[in-house]
Amino acid sequence: MPDGRHLSGVFGVVPLDGVIVARVSCYSSCPESAPVLLVKDKDTGEAISGTQEEVADVAVAERESVLVFRPTAPLVDGHTYQVEIEGQDLSAGISEIYASAAVDMDVGAIPVQSQVIVQERQRETGVLRSVPRPLRRR
C-alpha cells in the first residue's frame, strides 16, 4: 500500500444528476486534514466543481472513510470522469467513473406490506396458536 490517502473504490457508473461515492483508505503517513476529492472530465480535460461531504453513518474499516462528491451541474452523458484524492500518490492508480442517462436515481418510497404474527397461549391447554393481526400505523 502506498503512503498517504488513496481511493480504494468508486462506483463505476453514475446517473447524470447523481453523486460520486468514493471509499478512501490510508494505512501509513496519513495527513491530519480531511481528504479532498478531485473530479475531472477526461473527455474535455476540465475540472468539475461541486461540494463534498464525508458519510459518517456508513460502517467502514478503521482507516477508511466514504466521501460523497455532488457536482454543481449534471454530468455529461457518455463522458468518463477521473476521480482522485488531492495529494494522492498516482502510483496507487486513478479511478474512473462513467456518466450515463440510462442509470436512474429515482429512489422514491417503496410500498411495503407488513403483517405481525402474535402468539397467544391458551390458559387451559397451554397450546400456542398464531393469530395474524394487521400492523397498525400511528
Side-chain angles (χ1 to χ4, degrees), residues 15-91:
L16 305 182
D17 61 347
V19 297
I20 297 166
V21 179
R23 176 173 254 154
V24 179
S25 300
C26 189
Y27 298 102
S28 63
S29 303
C30 302
E32 293 289 323
S33 62
V36 176
L37 284 176
L38 302 174
V39 180
K40 183 169 86 174
D41 186 329
K42 285 190 68 171
D43 297 311
T44 65
E46 294 180 29
I48 303 302
S49 64
T51 58
Q52 82 170 36
E53 63 186 67
E54 185 172 358
V55 181
D57 59 349
V58 173
V60 291
E62 181 180 334
R63 296 180 180 195
E64 292 185 332
S65 59
V66 174
L67 298 178
V68 173
F69 181 86
R70 185 177 309 279
T72 305
L75 300 175
V76 179
D77 188 27
H79 281 217
T80 300
Y81 294 85
Q82 178 177 309
V83 183
E84 63 185 71
I85 298 294
E86 185 176 64
Q88 168 182 324
D89 178 359
L90 297 180
S91 68

Side-chain angles (χ1 to χ4, degrees), residues 15 17 103-109:
D17 61 347
V103 179
D104 188 4
M105 275 296 286
D106 186 11
V107 289

Side-chain angles (χ1 to χ4, degrees), residues 103-138:
V103 179
D104 188 4
M105 275 296 286
D106 186 11
V107 289
I110 299 170
V112 176
Q113 290 184 335
S114 299
Q115 183 176 3
V116 176
I117 305 288
V118 177
Q119 293 187 338
E120 297 177 349
R121 183 180 298 268
Q122 291 182 341
R123 289 187 186 172
E124 294 87 34
T125 63
V127 174
L128 287 177
R129 67 182 176 111
S130 295
V131 179
R133 295 194 179 162
L135 182 62
R136 294 184 184 161
R137 295 183 184 214
R138 295 180 185 205

